[in-house]
Amino acid sequence: MSPPSLIQATPSSGAGAPIALSYELFPPRNETAAVSLWDTIRELECTNPDYVSVTYGANGSNRDTAVELLNRILTETSLRPLAHLTCVGNTADELADIISELLDHGVRGILALRGDLPNDAPAEPRAGSLAYAQDLIELIRRVEQRRSALLCAGKVAIGVAAYPTKHPESPSVEHDVEVLLAKQRSGADFAITQVFFHASQYKDLVTRARRAGVSIPIIPGVMPLTSLRRVQRLGDLTGVAPDPSLLDALGRADDAAQSRRIGVQATVELARDALDAGAPGIHLYTFNEHAAALDVLDKLQLLRPGRPPVGRRLGATKQLVQA
């Protein structure tokens, strides 16, 4: 696997520039879920994405399953994995071992996250533990420097989270931008946003970030808005109210098929508005389901016919990634 980078380091896509495409997956919870996930992986692989991110449970709760999934993606598919890694509750030595393990498996992209604080977190953090994503980025760069021969003079691509709306623990959106700028200074290559419901939230984030000096790509993270329950839960988690008209339409849907059509259309409009505003790509939170994600990409015309179609496989959209 050549020394990679997962996203081109330019502030915006620009007129006529290729659109980066990526997906989020999570490790399966059981064998039945694993079979379904691999059906999804094979379908998504045929869209030739720039990378797929693999989540990592709170406090590393599903670390072994996540590493197993990453290893299978590397050895059994053509996909580039982006490994989520959280630092809360782990010491620098523990995290350095995990980073080294990921590199040993061939992972060359890491999404560096603080992670959610566990409900039973002690009042005083463990000695030597890392508290912020910025600390994790700097640790990844130190491990990378020590292992430069393994990386063949390449570099690990580091992604981070960005927040279109105020982080629940932040005093202000301005503080969130300062945190993003600090992550960039520590070595982050690109950012993926948390889910948002209005394109204006993404546009405002980019405007604030650029004014503050953030130059790395900020990729909108978009969730297919096809489930009323999922949309409501997301609104509760983010503290941002979803569009009432979308909630009403999903609530009046006669069946799952109609709910999917409504949600896909809403997602397409949200993603298109973000792309029209200069977004360099789209990151789709798939929930390990491919049908709605492919519908969204089809309507956005991000699926270029290039191969004989197999079922819903419509071809490939690819952006060469380089650092």
Side-chain angles (χ1 to χ4, degrees), residues 185-262:
R185 288 171 175 159
S186 293
D189 296 300
F190 63 99
I192 301 172
T193 76
Q194 295 294 308
V195 175
F196 54 94
F197 294 112
H198 307 281
S200 60
Q201 294 165 338
Y202 170 76
K203 298 174 191 176
D204 290 346
L205 165 64
V206 173
T207 298
R208 291 192 301 272
R210 299 296 179 233
R211 285 175 177 169
V214 176
S215 59
I216 58 175
I218 301 175
I219 304 165
V222 178
M223 179 188 81
L225 305 167
T226 54
S227 162
L228 176 61
R229 179 184 59 81
R230 194 173 285 164
V231 170
Q232 289 173 326
R233 174 163 172 72
L234 186 62
D236 292 339
L237 289 173
T238 61
V240 179
D243 188 336
S245 63
L246 173 62
L247 295 177
D248 181 63
L250 290 173
R252 290 187 290 103
D254 294 329
D255 52 32
Q258 185 179 9
S259 179
R260 178 171 142 188
R261 286 193 296 272
I262 293 167

Side-chain angles (χ1 to χ4, degrees), residues 121-125:
E124 293 295 327

